[in-house]
Amino acid sequence: MAFPEPKPRGPELPQKRLKTLDCGQGAVRAVRFNVDGNYCLTCGSDKTLKLWNPLRGTLLRTYSGHGYEVLDAAGSFDNSSLCSGGGDKAVVLWDVASGQVVRKFRGHAGKVNTVQFNEEATVILSGSIDSTIRCWDCRSRKPEPVQTLDEARDGISSVKVSDHEVLAGSVDGRVRRYDLRMGQLFSDYVGSPITCICFSRDGQCTLVSSLDSTLRLLDKDTGELLGEYTGHKNKEYKLDCCLSERDTHVVSCSEDGKVFFWDLVEGALALALPVGPGVVQSLTYHPTEPCLLTAMGGSIQCWREETYEAEGAPG
Amino acid sequence: MGLAWSRWKKMRKLRHREVKMTRIAELVKGERPKKPIPLQDQTVRDEKGRYKRFHGAFSGGFSAGYFNTVGSKEGWTPSSFVSSRQNRADKSVLGPEDFMDEEDLSEFGIAPKSIVTTDDFASKTKDRIREKARQLAAATAPIPGATLLDDLITPAKLSVGFELLRKMGWKEGQGIGPRVKRRPRRQKPDPGVKIYGCALPPGGSEGSEDEDDDYLPENVTFAPKDVTPVDFTPKDNVHGLAYKGLDPHQALFGTSGEHFNLFSGGPEETGDLLGDIGVNKGRKLGISGQAFGVGALEEEDDDIYATETLSKYDTVLKDEEPGDGLYGWTAPRQYKSQKESEKDLCYVGKILDGFSLASKPLSSKKIYPPPELPRDYRPVHYFRPVVAATSENSHLLQVLSESAGKPTNDPGTRSRHQLNACKRGELLGETPIQGAPTSVLEFLSQKDKERLKEVKQATDLKAAQLRARSLAQSASGSRPQPLSPDVGHCSWHMALSGGMASTRTSNFKPFAKDPEKQKRYEEFLANMKRGQKDALERCLDPGMTEWERGRERDEFARAALLYASSHSTLSSRFTHAQEEDDSEQVEVPRDQENDVSDKQSAVKMKMFGKLTRDTFEWHPDKLLCKRFNVPDPYPDSTLVGLPRVKRDKYSVFSFLTIPETASSPVTQASSEKVAQHRASDKSRKPSRWDTSKEEKKEDSISEFLSLARSKVGPAKPEPSPLVNKEEARATESVSNKVVNKDVDSQTEGEGSRPSMDLFKAIFASSSDEKSSSSEDEQGDSEDDQEGTREADFKSSQETDLVEASSVAQASEPAPQEPAPFFPIQKMQIDEREAFGPRLPPVFCPNARQKLEAPLKEKHKKNKEKHKTKKEHRRKKEKKKKHRKHKHKGKQKNKKSEKSSSSESTDSSDSQSEEGPTDLSPQELLRRLKRLPLRRQ
């Protein structure tokens, strides 16, 4: 667990609302930072995917081609392509610059909940409510997935990919980790339907949020419980959770319109950031800076730390 | 047009060049050209790919102009013509080259442009001498101007190389190299020595050099002889041996009277090669003789008719040639003697005269041992006899197929999957169930049976009437019909004979169980086909009683009718399965995530880690590994995903009730028993009718009831135990229970096997239940339920789970279905399952008491389990050096002890469940602090 050295100044939490963007694409199903945190993607219920500069609040491009609402999106490591999955059961590979559909992978039997690129953006992994994860090859023209991971007994709610692992949370209450290097599948039983999972940035822990309004930090290798975080409300929806940029805090959406921050080690509630009256549907954390994007209703909010001063001309 | 043409030509040229290149490449690679070049493609072209035309007698004539026309590609216009007022074509002086073709300028053309030594560099000395001589001769010549002839026939000039050599002391006729001492000749060969090869004219005296050899001064060295070393390059052309094409340089080179020889060896060489039987009089002659013919330039032509006899050849291999020891052929002496100095260095041993030591060692041939034969291999092919499967030789057949390593389909050696329950029971030595039902009819109630019988009789009656009518008709048709007992037979016979003819009977074996009968049936069909009226009578077993005959007749007739019609109509609609439908088995993952209940309790106690983790072997796809830049963990396996095994397929009903998860909430303690149950379930499954009546009812009725009830709303618990009541009520309760159970199984993913209580409710003696009133029981059980409901608050999430699965995907709020009673029912299941063996449900009157006993068992087991786990952990601990793990392990031990007690308490008293298991924040904190991150 290589946590960063303690800095003289404590980590600051993004609690200053910098900007609220009305995305104009219906409900924002998911908001995702790109790889370097300069741009973000919003998945709309009006079948579009939009690329923004969240700090400036400018819309860069709209990607349309989905047949139903877009539920998740991800950018490739080189920012050259995007992938998205949606209610039309299709996984779409986009070209960022041209905005064209490069490939459309069909094969899922249900809504695609989550999509991820692998490290080199050669494979797209998509998790669907048909309880499968499909690995689509971006390199070949094959219409079939390279492999289908169908071990889950219920829908896949969240998938994350590291250089050699695929982490998947399923509604059957299990977190499955497919280790390609070892050729093993680790299945951790959590019990409650899992809504979101993520690796810690050091790659040693997994954060699991489930429908029992609990987030759990599990040791990746042993599956042991390292921490539990409660206080928020998550009983119905598939809400996102994540870790802060330096793994110091655990962040989660809540159904009561707040974003909760817990100290990772202490497990104590650090901040309950009120966002609005509705449900905070999705959030994404900047990879390197204390910057948070939340999605509520049809808009996204950009949050920075208190001391942040917008450089250049905002807006 | 012209442009297109020229383009086409260019393309063609290019293509041709490519073809050439590839052909050359092929040759270089040593590959065979794929196809012989067809005749029409065997054209001669020049280096630019143009067709070459042959004009004139030899190839000397060259094609003129452009495609045999006068002019050029541009027509009559010279290429240099520029028609412009401003830019006048400057007059160029045309040389002869301007009128020449490219071929003329090539190496073999009339004006070659290749680099040659020019006069300036040619030797002049000779010329000067000659010049002088000529001048002298010219002066003294009787005919003035005669030297002009000499001028004309001046030999070619010597090159610089000659000049240099000469300056170094070389003289014409000498070899190049250090001077050598000449050995005295050892021995003169016998005059009658046998020669290999063609005979030279006899009577030839020794060469002059040989005479020199006779008196060799010791201290005199000689220049090496001028020989060309033997060329050992393999012959790869189709010319004669040692043939070289005419070399104009050599031909015209003034080798002072040395007429050139078609055959490579110089005169000395030949003489040397063939020992002393050299050429005479210094006349330089190559090998000549019949086999080689006589060259046009050779003078000697008298011996061309010399006959060759076999006696000139050696027919026996001799140890050593007494003569020169050359054994027929050999390398030039000079060479050999030069090598001799070196040979001592690397080779100890005798080197035969005429052989030289190889400069390169022979690459030793690798010898592979012959392949090892299998031990039981016999080098004789054995044809397996083909034995037709009949009842007599079934044993033989089995033996044969066994030896062939193929599974038999013999009824005697059927796999276990093909056995039915009765047969298995037989094998296991069970007493067969009395009156075991063999057909669906058996399950019908007596009343129904009777009703059926009545209906049947009625139809029979009708049939009889019909028959009679038809009989009358046939009689009226003036056909004398003998009054046989089987009038009906005739009628069906007629009916059949039409449609039957085309049916294939081989597929269809209605009496497969009784081979004898089947045989008779087939015979009957065959007879039928042939149109024999007494088909049936013929094939019936004469040893049968009249009644049996009658029955069989009926059966056959019916079967024939039924299958004839069904076959002909249905066969057109169906095709055979492409693959063998292995209906008995289905592929399932080898390892499955099971014992959820165990994990649930672990989760409740926050004992994440080993208890909640399952690890499986998982095979990623090769391509996936490649894409992830990860080496394939199982490079040898072709498997993808989880390893799979073949299991018995569940029936449709069990598929409906048992989700494949098999995540039955069963504790480990009970898992063995469950496994047994499963096994028995499985064994029964193929024939559903084999199972007892109760089970069958449970299966089918429960299915629908449960569906119906669950839709209607919460199932109300039946308010009476009903066990000692009359039959009807009992079944009702059964169905009710089934409902409960089934709902549970749906929510829970539980197996559909009826619980013990079902059997107990029906078969158990009613003595213990008689005393208690039903009202009491009910209250009791309800009480129990209440308690458990409250207690098992957590596990109620389980039900949420199912609904949440649908909810969770959608970010939209979805109304939660009201399922108020599910937790209760589930709780019952939980309770029951937590204690291993299947127990009566809560509403069973003696449920409480029955609960107690296994409880203790469970407790014990729990403790045991924990103990073993503890040990396990300790062992592991020792192995692990990691401090973190040690700490955790110890802590876990404490926890596990605590949890074991807590588990037991919460199982015995389900109400006190939530409290003690909760992990305190302090503890969590402590755990976290022990993380390595704190050490940093």
Side-chain angles (χ1 to χ4, degrees):
Chain A
M1 282 268 260
F3 275 85
E5 296 293 321
K7 294 220 167 177
R9 206 170 48 133
E12 281 184 290
L13 294 176
Q15 44 193 313
K16 189 166 90 175
R17 188 191 293 247
L18 208 67
K19 202 165 275 295
T20 299
L21 297 174
D22 187 17
C23 297
Q25 52 178 2
V28 177
R29 294 299 183 209
V31 56
R32 301 280 177 252
F33 265 119
N34 78 327
V35 68
D36 53 8
N38 291 334
Y39 306 100
C40 76
L41 292 162
T42 56
C43 306
S45 58
D46 71 340
K47 312 174 193 175
T48 60
L49 179 70
K50 287 187 176 180
L51 178 68
W52 302 83
N53 183 332
L55 295 176
R56 292 175 185 277
T58 47
L59 173 65
L60 300 173
R61 196 173 273 282
T62 302
Y63 302 90
S64 47
H66 266 291
Y68 206 59
E69 58 178 1
V70 187
L71 292 176
D72 195 14
S76 70
F77 74 102
D78 56 355
N79 287 327
S80 68
S81 46
L82 306 174
C83 64
S84 63
D88 58 352
K89 307 173 192 175
V91 177
V92 179
L93 177 66
W94 306 88
D95 183 55
V96 171
S98 67
Q100 297 297 308
V101 175
V102 179
R103 301 277 315 266
K104 218 169 197 181
F105 301 102
R106 297 181 189 278
H108 274 297
K111 283 200 276 190
V112 178
N113 269 334
T114 171
V115 287
Q116 282 285 309
F117 272 119
N118 74 333
E119 211 180 26
E120 296 189 332
T122 50
V123 175
I124 297 172
L125 290 107
S126 60
S128 159
I129 65 164
D130 68 358
S131 79
T132 61
I133 300 165
R134 282 166 204 254
C135 311
W136 308 96
D137 191 0
C138 305
R139 290 277 175 87
S140 73
R141 305 295 300 175
K142 266 201 309 185
E144 306 90 33
V146 176
Q147 189 172 4
T148 303
L149 316 177
D150 56 356
E151 282 76 25
R153 300 290 170 222
D154 209 331
I156 304 289
S157 55
S158 180
V159 167
K160 290 282 157 36
V161 183
S162 77
D163 57 343
H164 67 283
E165 295 157 309
V166 177
L167 187 68
S170 168
V171 183
D172 67 1
R174 285 175 190 270
V175 179
R176 289 181 181 78
R177 183 164 62 87
Y178 300 86
D179 194 321
L180 273 84
R181 201 170 277 163
M182 289 167 74
Q184 283 192 307
L185 161 61
F186 302 98
S187 166
D188 286 321
Y189 184 78
V190 175
S192 181
I194 288 158
T195 59
C196 185
I197 40 134
C198 56
F199 285 113
S200 63
R201 293 192 200 265
D202 64 354
Q204 306 229 23
C205 305
T206 54
L207 183 68
V208 180
S209 83
S210 51
L211 279 189
D212 53 356
S213 296
T214 311
L215 277 92
R216 292 181 178 89
L217 188 70
L218 302 179
D219 188 298
K220 193 183 82 177
D221 293 324
T222 63
E224 283 165 8
L225 183 69
L226 302 176
E228 240 186 1
Y229 311 96
T230 52
H232 66 301
K233 182 168 172 255
N234 186 4
K235 294 268 184 206
E236 292 178 78
Y237 303 123
K238 177 187 169 299
L239 301 183
D240 288 340
C241 64
C242 65
L243 289 158
S244 66
E245 87 280 8
R246 277 184 280 160
D247 277 346
T248 53
H249 286 82
V250 172
V251 189
S252 173
C253 300
S254 176
E255 287 166 18
D256 52 11
K258 289 176 184 163
V259 172
F260 282 73
F261 292 79
W262 293 269
D263 188 287
L264 179 120
V265 179
E266 305 291 330
L269 187 66
L271 175 69
L273 182 71
V275 175
V279 176
V280 184
Q281 291 160 0
S282 179
L283 60 77
T284 180
Y285 210 97
H286 196 282
T288 51
E289 285 171 53
C291 176
L292 178 75
L293 291 181
T294 56
M296 176 181 283
S299 61
I300 59 169
Q301 299 81 32
C302 180
W303 305 82
R304 288 304 299 247
E305 70 273 24
E306 287 289 2
T307 54
Y308 175 79
E309 262 112 43
E311 57 225 39
Chain B
M1 181 68 193
L3 195 70
W5 170 252
S6 67
R7 195 171 293 158
W8 176 81
K9 264 200 80 178
K10 212 174 275 175
M11 292 291 290
R12 218 190 141 107
K13 270 181 210 170
L14 281 173
R15 212 168 49 209
H16 183 76
R17 204 163 298 164
E18 269 171 46
V19 169
K20 259 190 189 167
M21 297 285 276
T22 51
R23 272 181 200 149
I24 287 163
E26 273 168 15
L27 284 174
V28 166
K29 269 185 240 156
E31 283 169 22
R32 244 189 212 184
K34 273 161 204 157
K35 264 187 203 167
I37 303 152
L39 205 65
Q40 68 268 19
D41 289 353
Q42 291 181 0
T43 50
V44 181
R45 301 177 195 208
D46 63 7
E47 63 273 6
K48 292 203 171 159
R50 292 176 301 203
Y51 287 103
K52 213 168 184 182
R53 288 162 295 270
F54 296 102
H55 299 277
F58 304 102
S59 67
F62 50 87
S63 56
Y66 185 73
F67 283 91
N68 274 345
T69 63
V70 198
S72 64
K73 194 180 175 184
E74 289 83 20
W76 285 97
T77 337
S79 57
S80 58
F81 177 75
V82 184
S83 171
S84 162
R85 196 180 292 173
Q86 283 81 30
N87 189 13
R88 289 279 173 190
D90 45 357
K91 214 168 214 172
S92 58
V93 181
L94 294 174
E97 284 86 3
D98 289 326
F99 302 101
M100 283 179 179
D101 284 345
E102 287 96 332
E103 294 98 278
D104 298 329
L105 304 175
S106 71
E107 197 180 351
F108 302 107
I110 54 173
K113 289 206 154 178
S114 60
I115 297 167
V116 289
T117 43
T118 57
D119 279 355
D120 302 337
F121 295 95
S123 167
K124 293 275 175 11
T125 49
K126 213 174 188 175
D127 290 29
R128 268 181 224 135
I129 298 163
R130 289 211 178 173
E131 202 76 15
K132 266 182 192 167
R134 214 180 53 191
Q135 281 164 8
L136 275 174
T140 57
I143 314 156
T147 50
L148 281 175
L149 255 179
D150 285 338
D151 275 345
L152 284 174
I153 51 169
T154 302
K157 281 138 195 159
L158 288 176
S159 67
V160 184
F162 275 98
E163 196 80 6
L164 282 170
L165 274 172
R166 217 171 261 157
K167 275 186 180 158
M168 287 164 76
W170 173 78
K171 290 191 180 72
E172 276 177 73
Q174 283 182 348
I176 300 162
R179 299 178 75 79
V180 288
K181 238 179 189 174
R182 199 163 288 172
R183 281 186 310 161
R185 285 208 77 80
R186 289 148 298 162
Q187 203 177 349
K188 292 242 170 184
D190 290 342
V193 74
K194 281 175 180 163
I195 320 150
Y196 303 91
C198 302
L200 280 166
S205 66
E206 294 99 355
S208 56
E209 48 186 77
D210 296 323
E211 282 155 29
D212 292 346
D213 283 353
D214 285 338
Y215 31 86
L216 279 175
E218 286 297 310
N219 52 353
V220 177
T221 55
F222 295 90
K225 282 180 183 171
D226 187 15
V227 287
T228 46
V230 177
D231 190 15
F232 287 106
T233 50
K235 184 173 129 49
D236 56 353
N237 51 18
V238 291
H239 300 303
L241 265 181
Y243 170 83
K244 273 198 269 176
L246 283 175
D247 185 357
H249 293 286
Q250 208 182 348
L252 298 171
F253 187 63
T255 40
S256 59
E258 207 181 293
H259 64 85
F260 78 82
N261 193 346
L262 270 178
F263 302 99
S264 64
E268 293 93 348
E269 185 193 343
T270 28
D272 214 59
L273 272 173
L274 299 171
D276 294 328
I277 316 132
V279 206
N280 47 0
K281 295 168 209 154
R283 218 174 38 82
K284 328 281 162 115
L285 187 69
I287 297 171
S288 63
Q290 198 182 11
F292 297 93
V294 179
L297 298 168
E298 276 173 295
E299 295 167 317
E300 183 103 6
D301 58 353
D302 45 3
D303 258 62
I304 51 167
Y305 302 113
T307 52
E308 205 175 13
T309 56
L310 260 183
S311 61
K312 286 180 183 166
Y313 293 90
D314 246 355
T315 51
V316 184
L317 276 174
K318 285 174 194 167
D319 267 357
E320 199 179 315
E321 198 75 48
D324 57 356
L326 289 183
Y327 292 96
W329 143 306
T330 80
R333 191 168 292 157
Q334 233 68 39
Y335 224 54
K336 171 200 71 188
S337 57
Q338 272 178 357
K339 284 270 160 125
E340 240 161 5
S341 55
E342 297 166 20
K343 105 189 164 186
D344 300 330
L345 297 173
C346 49
Y347 178 71
V348 202
K350 196 181 171 190
I351 289 183
L352 293 173
D353 219 13
F355 285 91
S356 62
L357 206 66
S359 54
K360 273 187 267 175
L362 263 173
S363 59
S364 61
K365 213 182 236 172
K366 201 170 182 189
I367 295 162
Y368 297 95
E372 241 176 70
L373 293 174
R375 243 196 303 161
D376 53 347
Y377 174 73
R378 283 181 304 151
V380 180
H381 184 73
Y382 173 66
F383 292 96
R384 289 181 189 286
V386 180
V387 181
T390 57
S391 52
E392 298 96 69
N393 58 8
S394 67
H395 182 68
L396 175 63
L397 205 67
Q398 182 193 334
V399 170
L400 277 175
S401 61
E402 265 172 19
S403 72
K406 275 180 265 171
T408 56
N409 286 328
D410 220 47
T413 56
R414 261 188 211 167
S415 74
R416 64 193 166 87
H417 304 296
Q418 280 157 318
L419 293 174
N420 63 18
C422 295
K423 281 180 184 163
R424 270 193 299 275
E426 246 171 69
L427 288 175
L428 288 169
E430 283 173 11
T431 52
I433 303 160
Q434 283 306 311
T438 53
S439 84
V440 192
L441 292 175
E442 306 281 338
F443 291 100
L444 294 172
S445 65
Q446 197 59 37
K447 222 165 80 185
D448 286 341
K449 274 184 195 167
E450 271 166 21
R451 202 164 354 124
L452 271 178
K453 220 182 244 171
E454 275 168 29
V455 172
K456 206 179 163 202
Q457 277 167 357
T459 49
D460 278 355
L461 208 72
K462 239 179 227 172
Q465 286 169 354
L466 274 173
R467 218 178 288 162
R469 209 173 294 159
S470 69
L471 188 66
Q473 279 172 358
S474 61
S476 66
S478 78
R479 212 157 9 121
Q481 191 85 18
L483 261 178
S484 62
D486 44 17
V487 193
H489 155 62
C490 291
S491 61
W492 61 251
H493 192 288
M494 320 251 282
L496 269 181
S497 51
M500 263 296 295
S502 61
T503 55
R504 266 175 287 137
T505 54
S506 56
N507 305 347
F508 213 45
K509 298 205 164 134
F511 307 109
K513 272 184 191 166
D514 189 349
E516 286 288 309
K517 199 171 177 181
Q518 175 68 26
K519 220 170 116 192
R520 284 202 298 275
Y521 174 64
E522 273 161 22
E523 202 181 324
F524 156 70
L525 286 182
N527 287 344
M528 278 284 304
K529 237 183 254 176
R530 267 180 258 130
Q532 290 169 356
K533 296 267 173 193
D534 53 347
L536 197 56
E537 291 308 307
R538 272 192 190 194
C539 60
L540 288 184
D541 189 2
M544 285 196 300
T545 63
E546 192 58 38
W547 179 78
E548 280 171 331
R549 272 173 192 242
R551 220 178 97 180
E552 198 155 299
R553 203 182 294 133
D554 271 355
E555 278 178 21
F556 281 7
R558 212 172 297 140
L561 255 179
L562 178 65
Y563 296 134
S565 59
S566 71
H567 188 85
S568 53
T569 52
L570 291 182
S571 61
S572 60
R573 304 197 178 194
F574 294 95
T575 58
H576 284 280
Q578 295 290 326
E579 290 168 23
E580 186 73 25
D581 185 17
D582 196 1
S583 58
E584 295 288 315
Q585 292 194 322
V586 68
E587 285 217 324
V588 293
R590 189 183 66 194
D591 312 302
Q592 287 189 330
E593 300 152 341
N594 39 18
D595 57 322
V596 168
S597 77
D598 219 23
K599 287 187 177 122
Q600 268 174 344
S601 53
V603 166
K604 250 179 257 166
M605 289 180 285
K606 298 185 180 166
M607 302 238 323
F608 286 90
K610 282 195 198 79
L611 292 179
T612 57
R613 170 158 285 202
D614 292 306
T615 306
F616 307 106
E617 188 181 314
W618 175 72
H619 296 245
D621 194 273
K622 295 222 175 340
L623 184 59
L624 196 66
C625 287
K626 212 167 155 189
R627 292 279 183 263
F628 269 79
N629 280 333
V630 165
D632 194 346
Y634 304 101
D636 304 327
S637 89
T638 54
L639 224 66
V640 171
L642 294 180
R644 286 175 171 264
V645 286
K646 282 213 162 181
R647 291 251 173 90
D648 281 3
K649 208 197 261 178
Y650 291 95
S651 73
V652 180
F653 282 109
S654 44
F655 264 119
L656 286 173
T657 49
I658 307 181
E660 263 287 273
T661 60
S663 55
S664 54
V666 169
T667 56
Q668 277 187 337
S670 67
S671 60
E672 297 157 21
K673 290 193 179 182
V674 171
Q676 284 171 8
H677 283 309
R678 282 249 171 97
S680 60
D681 260 355
K682 260 179 225 163
S683 66
R684 256 174 228 173
K685 176 187 29 74
S687 55
R688 299 192 62 75
W689 306 116
D690 290 344
T691 54
S692 68
K693 199 174 176 179
E694 290 74 37
E695 247 186 341
K696 174 227 152 204
K697 272 192 182 163
E698 187 265 320
D699 267 339
S700 52
I701 300 171
S702 68
E703 199 49 44
F704 299 108
L705 276 180
S706 65
L707 276 172
R709 302 257 168 138
S710 58
K711 278 198 178 137
V712 165
K716 26 185 165 135
E718 199 65 26
S720 61
L722 310 155
V723 187
N724 45 356
K725 307 278 173 175
E726 79 274 2
E727 194 94 355
R729 286 204 71 180
T731 50
E732 203 183 328
S733 84
V734 163
S735 66
N736 237 324
K737 269 179 240 171
V738 158
V739 171
N740 288 348
K741 210 213 118 249
D742 233 75
V743 170
D744 291 344
S745 69
Q746 277 184 341
T747 56
E748 208 36 69
E750 210 325 52
S752 69
R753 195 182 178 277
S755 53
M756 280 302 287
D757 55 342
L758 192 66
F759 302 111
K760 285 231 172 88
I762 292 150
F763 297 113
S765 64
S766 54
S767 60
D768 44 352
E769 288 119 274
K770 266 178 187 161
S771 56
S772 50
S773 82
S774 61
E775 293 298 313
D776 262 350
E777 299 299 342
Q778 200 239 329
D780 215 329
S781 63
E782 283 238 301
D783 224 345
D784 209 338
Q785 285 173 8
E786 282 299 313
T788 53
R789 189 207 315 204
E790 275 168 28
D792 197 36
F793 178 70
K794 275 249 163 168
S795 67
S796 70
Q797 292 158 357
E798 207 57 37
T799 46
D800 290 354
L801 187 152
V802 180
E803 280 128 32
S805 68
S806 59
V807 174
Q809 336 306 337
S811 324
E812 312 263 38
Q816 203 152 335
E817 276 174 20
F821 273 83
F822 280 22
I824 303 167
Q825 285 146 6
K826 200 189 61 51
M827 192 49 220
Q828 293 162 11
I829 277 279
D830 271 358
E831 292 262 327
R832 210 182 58 216
E833 272 146 0
F835 311 131
R838 293 174 190 273
L839 285 170
V842 194
F843 56 81
C844 222
N846 52 349
R848 269 270 159 117
Q849 293 140 23
K850 286 203 175 149
L851 271 173
E852 300 295 314
L855 246 178
K856 276 167 200 159
E857 244 179 70
K858 166 69 183 173
H859 191 117
K860 259 185 240 162
K861 272 181 186 163
N862 244 344
K863 272 195 175 165
E864 274 169 29
K865 199 169 73 188
H866 278 294
K867 225 183 253 174
T868 53
K869 271 184 184 165
K870 255 186 267 170
E871 278 164 17
H872 227 71
R873 197 164 289 142
R874 269 180 200 140
K875 272 181 211 161
K876 264 209 163 169
E877 241 173 79
K878 276 168 202 163
K879 281 178 211 159
K880 282 188 184 171
K881 285 158 197 161
H882 215 281
R883 204 153 49 112
K884 163 185 151 192
H885 284 283
K886 272 188 184 173
H887 275 288
K888 270 189 189 160
K890 274 177 198 164
Q891 208 253 331
K892 274 251 169 100
N893 286 344
K894 272 185 235 154
K895 278 237 51 140
S896 64
E897 275 166 321
K898 205 167 117 193
S899 67
S900 69
S901 59
S902 71
E903 200 179 333
S904 58
T905 52
D906 85 34
S907 50
S908 58
D909 185 19
S910 47
Q911 289 186 339
S912 62
E913 205 169 31
E914 193 99 88
T917 56
D918 218 336
L919 204 60
S920 69
Q922 282 85 11
E923 238 176 308
L924 259 178
L925 189 63
R926 234 194 309 153
R927 229 187 258 185
L928 263 173
K929 277 178 183 167
R930 259 175 269 113
L931 287 171
L933 74 108
R934 302 305 282 174
R935 279 186 279 132
Q936 282 178 358

